[in-house]
Amino acid sequence: MAEPRTSIHGLWSSRWAFILAATGAAVGLGNIWKFPYIAGQNGGGAFVIVYLICIAFIGLPLLMTEIMIGRMGRQNPSNSMGTLAVEANVSRHWHWVGLITVITGALILSYYSVIAGWAVDYVFQSAAGHFTDGTVAHINGLFTSLISSPTRLLFWHSCVMGATMGVVAFGVEKGLERAVKYLFPTMLVLLLLIVAYSIDTGYFSQGVNFLFHMNFHALKPSSVLVAMGHAFFTLSIATGSIMMYGAYLPAEASIPKAAAFIVIADTLVALVAGLAIFPIVFAHGLQPGAGPGLIFKSLPIAFGHMPFGEVFATIFFVMLVFAAFTSAISLLEPSVAWLIENMHMTRFKATGIAGGIIWFVGLGTVFSFNIGDKITFLGKNFFDSLDYLTANIMLPLSGLLIALFAAWRLKKATTLNELNFKNGIYYKSWRIVLGVVAPIGISLVFLGAIGLL
Ligand code: PHE
């Protein structure tokens, strides 16, 4: 091994700061907004099982791998992969894979910020009591009037991007770490309050039933692709975020332990969010398959008819905003680090440029719900296309390449030493899963989804 490299951006102050930041990156809109609605659309239980299998067999090993590559390279994902490739005497072209992940992260942030903006808008609407005693038509109307207003969406998207840039501009310890340290624990407490409230609805067992009842007939090959894509998305894999955060991880921390913690925490939050949301949905006779509007339409109807509904609706949306924000900063950091390292910019300037471009791309999503809703690609509007392209195609494919790189291109002695498993059998399993099982699994799911199986 070459002598230890250092990160020019600084490091997390401790292993726990990394774990908090990476868990904050993983837990976000994916867990609370997306997971319940896609589970609802894909029939519940069986979908959840496929998702859990993907998390355990593809997500966990890849998460370790990304943290490892990040920490060995100590640079943005593209430069880290390029440097490690050169050190392992293989083609430097592997840096393109890293670059694609940085670009994917930026694309995701462009729409993530718009959806986070919906949540910010809903904080104010719930606090103002707009949902109280609302009829279905009234509350659907509130959602429609939000997404059909380009100016309102633009305003909140700009606020979210502005705040994200405000944090990232201050760097690793003074910006990212400080924000996550306060926001993430607060978010967890708020989530637990919501769960307690939801148990109190008396429909808890229906929620449990829906999430864990195995109905394999509802599971189409395309649902399997959605479940796998979501496993990547929810763990922030192949988006630059985790590899970047790994670059700031102190040298002595155990990577397998940190990865296991992040995976367990992320999965628990998704399941808990589902268990909090579905009972409230069922208690009011609403549909679980309502789609992206699930928590913005169904939940407010439910909250509007419950005791202390405004308070808990406000708590719910504040929690969602905090969860989204700790993910948004992790999506911006890789692009900023890339500009600093390769264009020799100051952090301040790099944040302005990366954030500005991402803000601009976000306009596509803003307009896709209103004045631009007629512009479609293969029948999907701009937002749906971008979501599908990133989550279901780019993430699994880049994940596949990262897996092959780590298992077949990096030197065995290097990865063995860096992962430092307690038991040799774990290392062997990691390599087999990464080099064989995951690539075959990902390829089969793709072939199935495009109808070739
Ligand atoms: N994992 C985040 C979520 O579930 C989204 C995200 C994706 C964040 C990629 C960072 C990178 O909401």
Side-chain angles (χ1 to χ4, degrees), residues 22-35 104-105 108-109 111-112 230-242 266 323-324 326-332 334 395:
T23 312
V27 172
L29 293 171
N31 305 60
I32 299 159
W33 162 71
K34 199 169 179 195
F35 173 71
T104 310
I108 292 179
L109 179 57
Y111 70 78
Y112 204 82
H230 188 64
F232 280 87
F233 184 84
T234 191
L235 293 176
S236 310
I237 286 173
T239 58
S241 295
I242 294 293
D266 183 77
T326 53
S327 297
I329 54 181
S330 81
L331 283 163
L332 181 56
L395 301 190

Side-chain angles (χ1 to χ4, degrees), residues 152-173:
R152 247 165 98 191
L153 292 187
L154 187 61
F155 176 72
W156 291 124
H157 166 55
S158 310
C159 292
V160 174
M161 278 310 299
T164 307
M165 290 159 68
V167 167
V168 171
F170 283 96
V172 181
E173 239 190 284

